[in-house]
Amino acid sequence: DLEDLGDPQTAYATIRDHYADHLPSKYPSAQWRDRAALDAQYGTAGKKLVVVFGSAEGSSIAPSATPSMGYSSPLFHDTSSAMQALCAKFADAPDVAILFQDHPINASNRTAHALPANCIETKREHIHSLIAAADRVAVLGTTTVQYECLLHDVPVLSLSRNLIDHVGAAYSCVNT
């Protein structure tokens, strides 16, 4: 019961600690791996790591004409265009690696995203492995991952409109 946790700071710390001890995952994924294992897999050793998580809403599963798409992602037509814009910002930054993990719901029903050469698509990594390894996380669409990043104390860049933008808990993309 949250009322038994005391003041909000104590309650938050208790919830965060419980979460960190359990590392829940809603979808099948690889086992948790540390940064060194991810670096070995993806060739990212010695680089700052930006991890981008897609969402079902922001990915190819929803037609761009869907009214909610323009509301939640007014800057980008789809995930591929968001990735093109983000990766272009880091094109001349050899010390930055960008990993992209699409939402699991899209695994069997989408065409491949046109990802830039400086972006690596992961294969169902455990989200907590990626969050813990990341220097920054970017999210597209409304996704629970944004809240998980906050529990890990990892800065979030929102590439769309969502709740954490409105309370100042994320960096917001305002133009491309």
Side-chain angles (χ1 to χ4, degrees):
D1 190 51
L2 289 177
E3 292 176 2
D4 295 338
L5 297 176
D7 65 274
Q9 291 171 330
T10 302
Y12 174 77
T14 302
I15 292 167
R16 185 190 61 227
D17 293 346
H18 175 81
Y19 189 83
D21 289 343
H22 294 86
L23 298 177
S25 181
K26 295 188 298 188
Y27 299 97
S29 65
Q31 292 294 316
W32 188 91
R33 300 191 298 159
D34 64 12
R35 172 71 192 254
L38 292 172
D39 285 343
Q41 173 77 30
Y42 297 108
T44 55
K47 296 182 179 185
K48 294 177 183 166
L49 192 58
V50 176
V51 177
V52 184
F53 289 100
S55 73
E57 180 179 298
S59 298
S60 301
I61 193 170
S64 60
T66 302
S68 65
M69 286 299 294
Y71 175 74
S72 66
S73 187
L75 300 174
F76 305 106
H77 176 70
D78 56 18
T79 299
S80 293
S81 63
M83 292 304 299
Q84 293 289 337
L86 181 65
C87 292
K89 297 290 184 190
F90 293 103
D92 296 324
D95 62 329
V96 175
I98 302 170
L99 297 181
F100 170 73
Q101 181 153 296
D102 203 357
H103 193 283
I105 202 168
N106 298 318
S108 63
N109 61 356
R110 74 165 171 90
T111 56
H113 293 297
L115 297 177
N118 63 334
C119 179
I120 303 163
E121 186 165 4
T122 65
K123 301 297 178 204
R124 300 287 24 105
E125 292 293 340
H126 196 290
I127 61 168
H128 297 288
S129 297
L130 294 171
I131 294 169
D135 293 291
R136 302 285 184 273
V137 167
V139 295
L140 181 65
T142 54
T143 172
T144 56
V145 172
Q146 63 195 351
Y147 304 111
E148 292 169 299
C149 292
L150 297 177
L151 290 171
H152 282 276
D153 293 325
V154 174
V156 176
L157 169 62
S158 175
L159 300 175
S160 54
R161 293 182 186 145
N162 57 55
L163 293 175
I164 66 173
D165 291 346
H166 302 291
V167 295
Y171 296 98
S172 298
C173 184
V174 293
N175 63 39
T176 57

